[in-house]
Amino acid sequence: MNKFIRAAQTSQSLSLAAMEEASRFGLREAGIEHLFLALVLNEQSAGRALRELGIGIDNARLAVIEQHNEQLAALGIEASFPAAGQIVFHQTDGYGWSPRARDLIAKAGGKNKAGDAAAVLRELVAEPSGLISDILGRLGTTSGTLLEVLDEVESPNGNPTTALATEKGRATMSIETFVPASLDEVWNFLADPEQIPQWDSSIGAVNQIAGHSPIPGALWEGTAPTSYPDGKPAQIKPRFRRRRIELVTAQPPGRISWSFGYPDVARNNPVMMDFFLISATGGTQIHITKTWSRSPGWRNLLARPLRPIQKFLLWISLFQTGSAISRSFR
């Protein structure tokens, strides 16, 4: 994978997770402690190394809070870290990185640096303030031990989580994501049609079509949302307001597949979403694949110069799906 693409994708994924964590405390600026929490949730080798040491999102959050409270006490401030609420990042705006966190991410993508999550983690544990070292101590480990485990699990290819493939008339794109929940919990969530709006933002509600049971071949009708998470009204063209949703595959607890189409669109080409679930340390690894029809003939030729942009936009779409699934369990 191109270093620039890998660094951009890593920055995007860490930014979203970190700012989601900051939003739980009503903060608009994500610091290095939120970057640490984002790495705990990361699907790459950096996240695997942290989870191999027994560091999950719950105990990592607690260690961050305890460290902040201790710092306040050392300054003679009788206060505590504010109570955490729900993630509201997707409902609000105005977020950004602290200068220290932003500089650290940039350094991880600098000369002779890979720019992936492992590079960010290496820079983070070497950060001179000692904050992350202290947090690791609360979690029962050290920076040295973490780097040793990272060396063992790190992939020589960096971040092989994105793939785009084409075949006659069809194209597919895949990514991997990590969810801090058990295999059965994630399976039940993805197999429940009523939960689809939680991970597909283009659908606001799902209604089962009469006479169908929740087995492969069953059909549901989805309707577009009337407003976005931030409360702004959604402007949806009439022909895109209805979705035909079909359960294609249900193989518990390892695979679930859904098909999505627009019944009011003349040239309707359904999109297939496949989820392959694997139990992993600290949660579940999900391989998400999106399959759709390619434009035939001259339309396909005209689209070729735009494919790098399309590939990035498709990655964003799949990444948002994976992030929404993870957010549902946090």
Side-chain angles (χ1 to χ4, degrees):
M1 180 185 292
N2 178 280
K3 175 184 172 180
F4 174 78
I5 295 175
R6 179 171 59 242
Q9 292 180 349
T10 297
S11 177
Q12 176 74 14
S13 62
L14 293 179
S15 294
L16 178 58
M19 292 171 194
E20 285 179 340
E21 289 299 310
S23 77
R24 297 176 64 243
F25 296 95
L27 302 175
R28 291 295 191 272
E29 184 175 86
I32 61 172
E33 67 272 37
H34 304 112
L35 178 57
F36 173 73
L37 295 175
L39 285 164
V40 172
L41 295 164
N42 191 260
E43 77 284 349
Q44 298 179 36
S45 57
R48 296 199 302 273
L50 288 161
R51 295 189 292 272
E52 285 292 332
L53 290 169
I55 301 174
I57 189 60
D58 291 333
N59 61 349
R61 283 170 169 172
L62 180 60
V64 168
I65 291 173
E66 290 177 343
Q67 186 61 34
H68 275 293
N69 289 340
E70 182 176 290
Q71 289 175 329
L72 291 174
L75 295 171
I77 301 174
E78 296 183 1
S80 60
F81 209 58
Q86 297 296 314
I87 293 172
V88 296
F89 172 82
H90 57 300
Q91 301 170 344
T92 49
D93 54 23
Y95 291 84
W97 284 114
S98 70
R100 186 164 53 166
R102 184 174 58 249
D103 292 345
L104 189 150
I105 293 174
K107 189 175 181 180
K111 186 177 181 180
N112 299 322
K113 303 289 180 64
D116 60 1
V120 174
L121 181 57
R122 292 182 188 280
E123 296 295 336
L124 189 62
V125 299
E127 199 273 332
S129 74
L131 174 61
I132 301 304
S133 294
D134 290 340
I135 292 173
L136 289 173
R138 292 181 180 278
L139 291 164
T141 190
T142 65
S143 297
T145 299
L146 174 56
L147 292 177
E148 289 176 3
V149 175
L150 180 59
D151 288 338
E152 293 175 1
V153 303
E154 190 171 8
S155 166
N157 295 320
N159 174 26
T161 60
T162 305
L164 177 65
T166 60
E167 58 184 44
K168 186 176 182 179
R170 304 289 288 172
T172 65
M173 190 171 195
S174 303
I175 68 165
E176 289 186 10
T177 193
F178 173 79
V179 177
S182 70
L183 185 67
D184 287 338
E185 288 176 309
V186 179
W187 161 263
N188 289 332
F189 176 79
L190 291 174
D192 184 354
E194 293 185 0
Q195 298 298 331
I196 289 175
Q198 299 298 318
W199 51 264
D200 188 332
S201 61
S202 69
I203 296 175
V206 174
N207 301 300
Q208 186 169 2
I209 297 176
H212 289 277
S213 301
I215 58 175
L219 298 175
W220 287 262
E221 182 177 272
T223 54
T226 57
S227 62
Y228 296 111
D230 61 4
K232 296 179 180 179
Q235 303 295 326
I236 309 295
K237 293 181 179 180
R239 65 180 182 275
F240 294 120
R241 290 177 183 168
R242 289 200 308 147
R243 298 291 292 277
R244 181 183 184 274
I245 303 171
E246 179 181 354
L247 178 61
V248 178
T249 305
Q251 299 173 352
R255 184 185 179 191
I256 188 81
S257 304
W258 294 96
S259 173
F260 299 90
Y262 289 101
D264 300 318
V265 175
R267 296 175 61 89
N268 176 41
N269 295 313
V271 172
M272 179 82 74
M273 293 291 292
D274 280 306
F275 301 91
F276 296 87
L277 285 60
I278 301 173
S279 182
T281 301
T284 302
Q285 197 85 359
I286 308 178
H287 186 85
I288 306 174
T289 298
K290 185 174 187 177
T291 305
W292 66 98
S293 297
R294 296 172 61 194
S295 299
W298 61 269
R299 290 185 178 88
N300 185 44
L301 291 175
L302 290 177
R304 287 181 181 177
L306 299 176
R307 282 182 185 171
I309 297 174
Q310 291 174 334
K311 182 176 179 180
F312 181 74
L313 293 175
L314 287 166
W315 177 84
I316 287 290
S317 174
L318 282 173
F319 163 70
Q320 290 175 338
T321 297
S323 297
I325 297 168
S326 173
R327 183 170 61 243
S328 297
F329 292 94
R330 293 188 282 129

